[in-house]
Amino acid sequence: MLRTASVASIAVAALLLSAIAWPDQVSTHWSSCRNREFQSWFPDAEPPERLQCTYVDVPLAPAAGRAGQARVVPVKLAVTKLPALGERRGSVLFISGGPGSPGIHPFLDYDGTAKAITQHYDIVGYDARGVGQSQPGIRCSDEASAISMGPWWQPWWNPTSSTELAEAKSFVESCIEHTGAAFLRHVGTNAAVRDVESLRQALGEAHLNVVAYSYGTKVAALYAGAFPSHVRAMVLDGVVDLSEDDASMRINQARAMQRAFGRFAAYCAKQSRCPFGDRPDDAVPRYHALLREFENNQSRDGRTEFVPSEALMAAIVGALFWPEQWAALIEALTGVQDGRPEQLQTLIASST
């Protein structure tokens, strides 16, 4: 159950969003994701044969003017749908996390979990505005984007030093220059909530079933508060507590990360070879030593593609989320210990 402060937050959002005028109908046309126009959406592998793709036009901002019409400039959301196999009972909309994580590939095994769901429900995923294949996309210069902003669990938008302030300012300015302030000022959680409502209309659903992850749970909770009559069911995974302030969120997230590392260390200790040895209590100092060794070896080698500790930590923390990735993480860390960093480099690349 949400705490009182969370309920209050949802209530305020509901009042703000309920005043929005929406177009009576959002039309869309689905095509096979294997068509040439969608090839860029799937650079790594061919999409499932039944998967369908489309763009859904949503308002840039809430309706303006006395006629209550949405602004002319649309935002195009990239959307995928795996149609129901049998008697159709509705759609299940997946809302990804981040903010900024692509969503046209929901976290599903198309031959397992998805197969069960699609007996009666369409599975729908989408890239949020500014993200992935959606248009326009948020673009920043390569030079500014390469600046180390710190791990994603220590957001760079709360800088503490003059150097960090300058780096953050440079990064934001590059995003404004390459994307445009007219669009960026309409990217945020309120816009994400409104986009979910536009997607509901485009899907032709009276009620939505929603599965949301991490930051996506914030969007889902606020949507439920703003449009309660349009929600049938929701599953929230990795729930964002709307009552937390920024400091509390950081502290609680760091605690959760530490617990996840402890579980990984215990798992590692039971394997035939663990880079931390067979004593989980020794894992933290050995892990720190391994990170230092990795950076020192790169410095001595004079490599042109130096991997900063922030990128390394982000990749490792990302792997901690999924126990099925722990065996690969052990292999990668063991490779570093043996002077073979290739697997760890692959892990880092897959997290960016």
Side-chain angles (χ1 to χ4, degrees):
M1 180 178 293
L2 294 172
R3 288 186 237 169
T4 303
S6 299
V7 174
S9 299
I10 290 177
V12 171
L15 289 173
L16 292 173
L17 292 167
S18 62
I20 297 172
W22 290 92
D24 294 332
Q25 185 176 5
V26 180
S27 60
T28 188
H29 174 71
W30 295 96
S31 302
S32 170
C33 289
R34 294 189 176 185
N35 288 353
R36 181 176 299 178
E37 60 183 309
F38 301 116
Q39 285 182 352
S40 62
W41 291 23
F42 307 92
D44 299 324
E46 190 173 45
E49 185 176 359
R50 293 192 303 114
L51 196 66
Q52 298 178 359
C53 291
T54 192
Y55 279 108
V56 172
D57 288 353
V58 300
L60 174 67
R66 57 187 177 85
Q69 296 298 314
R71 295 189 181 182
V72 176
V73 180
V75 175
K76 293 180 176 293
L77 300 183
V79 187
T80 60
K81 177 175 70 174
L82 194 66
L85 291 168
E87 180 185 358
R88 186 181 178 281
R89 298 175 184 172
S91 301
V92 179
L93 178 69
F94 282 73
I95 305 178
S96 62
S101 297
I104 58 173
H105 309 281
F107 295 121
L108 284 174
D109 174 6
Y110 282 112
D111 294 323
T113 309
K115 195 171 184 180
I117 296 175
T118 53
Q119 288 302 312
H120 300 291
Y121 293 91
D122 297 341
I123 294 177
V124 180
Y126 71 101
D127 285 347
R129 63 171 62 195
V131 173
Q133 302 302 321
S134 290
Q135 300 175 3
I138 297 176
R139 299 290 181 264
C140 305
S141 71
D142 293 337
E143 181 180 355
S145 299
I147 294 175
S148 173
M149 295 300 177
W152 56 265
W153 65 92
Q154 295 176 349
W156 59 264
W157 53 85
N158 189 21
T160 58
S161 70
S162 58
T163 300
E164 290 173 338
L165 279 169
E167 291 177 345
K169 184 173 183 291
S170 174
F171 183 84
V172 171
E173 288 176 346
S174 73
C175 297
I176 294 173
E177 178 185 356
H178 290 81
T179 306
F183 174 68
L184 288 175
R185 66 169 56 99
H186 297 296
V187 176
T189 302
N190 284 344
V193 172
R194 296 193 299 268
D195 288 347
V196 172
E197 175 58 11
S198 290
L199 288 172
R200 181 194 67 80
Q201 295 182 29
L203 295 170
E205 300 288 3
H207 306 93
L208 275 181
N209 302 289
V210 173
V211 176
Y213 300 98
S214 191
Y215 165 76
T217 67
K218 181 176 182 178
V219 176
L222 291 174
Y223 178 81
F227 303 99
S229 62
H230 295 165
V231 176
R232 178 181 177 273
M234 284 188 169
V235 175
L236 308 183
D237 186 348
V239 181
V240 173
D241 188 343
L242 300 181
S243 69
E244 285 185 337
D245 57 23
D246 183 66
S248 298
M249 181 274 292
R250 291 176 182 235
I251 292 170
N252 290 332
Q253 193 164 58
R255 286 172 176 164
M257 295 295 179
Q258 191 64 46
R259 287 195 295 268
F261 182 82
R263 290 192 292 270
F264 169 68
Y267 167 86
C268 185
K270 296 177 182 178
Q271 307 311 306
S272 58
R273 187 182 178 192
C274 174
F276 311 140
D278 58 2
R279 290 174 49 85
D281 290 344
D282 296 336
V284 171
R286 291 195 176 199
Y287 173 59
H288 290 170
L290 194 63
L291 294 182
R292 287 193 297 271
E293 180 182 2
F294 179 73
E295 285 202 336
N296 290 338
N297 287 341
Q298 286 195 117
S299 299
R300 284 196 296 269
D301 291 346
R303 301 189 180 190
T304 56
E305 296 183 0
F306 182 79
V307 178
S309 59
E310 290 86 355
L312 176 62
M313 288 286 290
I316 293 171
V317 168
L320 290 178
F321 274 110
W322 312 98
E324 57 268 27
Q325 295 184 13
W326 288 358
L329 179 57
I330 290 174
E331 286 293 320
L333 294 175
T334 302
V336 172
Q337 210 168 41
D338 295 341
R340 297 179 291 102
E342 292 78 14
Q343 287 178 296
L344 188 56
Q345 296 281 10
T346 301
L347 184 69
I348 293 170
S350 66
S351 70
T352 58

